[in-house]
Amino acid sequence: MSTSATTPCCHSLSPPNYRVRVLKNPNPRLIQFSFNPTLPRLTAKPYTSPTSKWRFLCLRDEESSSAIPESEFVEDKLSEELVKPGFNQINFVQKDWISRLRKVTDALFGAEPWTVPWTAKTIVQVMLLWIASFWLVGSWVVPFLAHTAGFRKESLTYRGQALYSLLTDVAEGLAGIALLHRCLTRFHPLPSDWFKFSLEGKWQFDVGLGCLMFPLVNRLSQVNLNLWPILPSTPVTVSSVEQSIVARDPVAMALYAVVVSVCAPIWEEIVFRGFLLPSLTKYMPVWCSILVSSVAFALAHFNMQRMLPLIFLGVVMGAVFARSRNLLPSMLLHSLWNAFVFLDLMK
């Protein structure tokens, strides 16, 4: 063994092209190297007795090259230890987000359509009947029952009006679901991916990504108002929700919060994402079904000043639903958006 080959190992103990291990009571079959200060090189001798002395066993790293100087190895190692971990971590996070977004896009544009047992006639029939029942129950049935009971909504207190709105919304939703169930009864049993509610799956990331779209939805609201401003001749009305917020009635605000953050997301998601979106995939791609169902969702609110944000919001919720094929994530996202708007009104 030459001096130039052994000197780096003894002086630095851990050169880049050597591995150093400290062994206690080493194996007698191994050759141990001890350093003699009077000699210019390492001397090899066999192991004689199993003592408990500490010795250095230097093993050649077969993957490293001895042709590169030690100083360059040391500098490279230090720079990698100081810089590379943080750089790799940033790259990993960026690649992880990019890969997730790519998976979302691929899932939308390459998604398989639902198995739809009914035709376009049933789709149009269900949607028209749902809108008619919603209007009939909210505008005629509930007010008639209230009048029969001897009171009117306008004469109620803030809490009474809030309770009235909650009962009306529940009645509208239950009537719509009953109608939907009646129209689809002859097609039962439905495939397993229809009207699915499940806590399982990795849909939490999709909901979080959808929440990041809320500022953009807000921005689209301003753009929509600029494109379709409210006419000066249009009377400005203050809703009962806004009146209860101004009055700071906690019970009334809690009841309205249940209406907008619980009831509305459930009824609307069942109809527009649970029924309409999958049904349209029989005649068009999934991404196109998301867009068409979002336009229908916006039109159902009968408010031209909110068309653009509602369409975009419908696209986001539709994408979340199409990716998971689960109504729970889109309902949760819908609920969070309504809660966001409600809290913004409370400022």
Side-chain angles (χ1 to χ4, degrees):
M1 184 180 297
S2 64
T3 307
S4 60
T6 59
T7 303
C9 176
C10 297
H11 283 287
S12 61
L13 295 182
S14 57
N17 55 341
Y18 285 89
R19 294 198 308 269
V20 179
R21 291 187 295 171
V22 181
L23 301 179
K24 186 175 182 179
N25 293 331
N27 193 326
R29 296 180 181 179
L30 297 176
I31 299 299
Q32 300 179 23
F33 294 90
S34 61
F35 182 71
N36 190 340
T38 60
L39 298 177
R41 64 178 66 199
L42 285 173
T43 59
K45 61 181 180 180
Y47 181 76
T48 56
S49 61
T51 62
S52 59
K53 296 181 181 180
W54 292 83
R55 293 181 175 84
F56 293 97
L57 180 64
C58 300
L59 300 176
R60 180 67 181 269
D61 191 348
E62 296 178 356
E63 298 179 357
S64 61
S65 174
S66 60
I68 303 177
E70 180 188 356
S71 59
E72 295 182 7
F73 266 112
V74 173
E75 292 178 0
D76 292 341
K77 288 288 184 180
L78 290 176
S79 61
E80 288 178 1
E81 291 176 358
L82 294 176
V83 179
K84 196 171 182 179
F87 180 74
N88 287 341
Q89 187 176 5
I90 295 174
N91 281 346
F92 175 77
V93 173
Q94 291 176 347
K95 290 180 180 179
D96 184 60
W97 274 85
I98 293 173
S99 64
R100 285 176 178 267
L101 290 175
R102 187 175 299 170
K103 287 180 181 179
V104 172
T105 306
D106 294 342
L108 294 180
F109 288 93
E112 292 293 329
W114 276 256
T115 301
V116 184
W118 45 81
T119 61
K121 179 181 177 181
T122 302
I123 300 174
V124 174
Q125 181 185 28
V126 168
M127 294 307 300
L128 290 179
L129 287 176
W130 180 81
I131 294 174
S133 68
F134 207 83
W135 172 79
L136 183 64
V137 171
S139 300
W140 292 95
V141 175
V142 174
F144 174 76
L145 293 176
H147 178 74
T148 304
F151 61 87
R152 297 177 57 190
K153 181 180 179 180
E154 294 76 12
S155 62
L156 299 176
T157 62
Y158 293 127
R159 297 183 181 185
Q161 292 182 9
L163 181 61
Y164 181 94
S165 297
L166 177 60
L167 295 176
T168 302
D169 200 273
V170 170
E172 291 171 342
L174 292 178
I177 291 178
L179 181 65
L180 180 64
H181 182 269
R182 178 68 182 85
C183 292
L184 302 182
T185 300
R186 64 182 184 274
F187 302 105
H188 285 186
L190 297 176
S192 59
D193 57 348
W194 278 90
F195 304 106
K196 179 182 176 182
F197 295 86
S198 177
L199 292 171
E200 299 178 356
K202 300 179 180 179
W203 47 263
Q204 293 82 3
F205 171 80
D206 298 336
V207 174
L209 188 62
C211 291
L212 296 179
M213 300 294 111
F214 289 173
L216 183 55
V217 179
N218 245 358
R219 180 59 183 166
L220 285 174
S221 300
Q222 299 298 323
V223 173
N224 202 152
L225 285 174
N226 294 334
L227 294 176
W228 199 288
I230 300 176
L231 298 177
S233 58
T234 303
V236 179
T237 59
V238 181
S239 65
S240 56
V241 179
E242 294 172 328
Q243 291 176 2
S244 64
I245 291 175
V246 171
R248 293 296 174 181
D249 190 317
V251 176
M253 288 191 293
L255 292 173
Y256 281 124
V258 173
V259 172
V260 301
S261 300
V262 179
C263 297
I266 293 176
W267 318 138
E268 294 175 6
E269 291 306 304
I270 288 176
V271 173
F272 290 101
R273 252 66 64 181
F275 170 75
L276 181 59
L277 192 159
S279 299
L280 293 175
T281 60
K282 185 173 184 176
Y283 303 99
M284 59 188 71
V286 174
W287 67 268
C288 193
S289 301
I290 293 174
L291 182 59
V292 173
S293 62
S294 300
V295 173
F297 170 72
L299 290 173
H301 286 77
F302 300 102
N303 191 335
M304 294 303 297
Q305 281 76 30
R306 298 170 58 195
M307 280 293 295
L308 287 180
L310 286 175
I311 291 175
F312 181 76
L313 186 64
V315 169
V316 174
M317 294 185 296
V320 171
F321 170 71
R323 177 169 159 78
S324 63
R325 303 214 168 195
N326 183 2
L327 276 171
L328 184 60
S330 62
M331 285 182 179
L332 178 59
L333 186 60
H334 195 156
S335 177
L336 291 173
W337 165 254
N338 285 4
F340 171 77
V341 174
F342 186 78
L343 291 174
D344 189 60
L345 289 174
M346 293 178 62
K347 293 181 180 179

